[in-house]
Amino acid sequence: SMLLQFFMKNPGKVLSNNTIYQFVLSLHMSEKLANFSLKPHIFNLRHKLEPNVKDGKFEILVTKRGLGYVLVDSSKEKSKTA
């Protein structure tokens, strides 16, 4: 999906709802409306990426409250633990 492609092109970068919406649909709208429109798509994408998540604690596509969403860069996470 275009949404997943956009996140994969920007790993580790917090993307605002409006930025995501502008890229995926090439439309400009308020942050509030973009958030409302994106929620179901983010929900579906999260459940495809992490189908067995319990208690809504997603680790791949993370919400940054008040800022947007970030696709966690697993290569950087692995290097921190090594």
Side-chain angles (χ1 to χ4, degrees):
S1 77
M2 287 201 54
L3 185 58
L4 179 57
Q5 289 176 13
F6 187 56
F7 278 111
M8 290 178 71
K9 287 180 181 177
N10 296 284
K13 183 177 179 184
V14 178
L15 303 170
S16 73
N17 295 319
N18 201 20
T19 299
I20 297 166
Y21 207 85
Q22 284 178 26
F23 175 80
V24 174
L25 296 177
S26 300
L27 295 173
H28 298 276
M29 64 175 50
S30 72
E31 190 73 19
K32 186 175 182 178
L33 186 55
N35 181 39
F36 179 77
S37 301
L38 281 173
K39 276 189 174 183
H41 299 291
I42 296 291
F43 177 87
N44 290 334
L45 182 56
R46 281 179 162 158
H47 286 277
K48 288 178 182 177
L49 294 171
E50 298 182 75
N52 299 319
V53 167
K54 303 232 187 303
D55 301 323
K57 295 182 181 179
F58 295 96
E59 296 178 2
I60 297 174
L61 187 54
V62 178
T63 301
K64 295 294 183 183
R65 189 165 290 240
L67 299 174
Y69 300 95
V70 62
L71 180 69
V72 174
D73 188 345
S74 61
S75 64
K76 288 183 181 179
E77 292 298 314
K78 288 178 185 175
S79 66
K80 285 182 185 177
T81 59

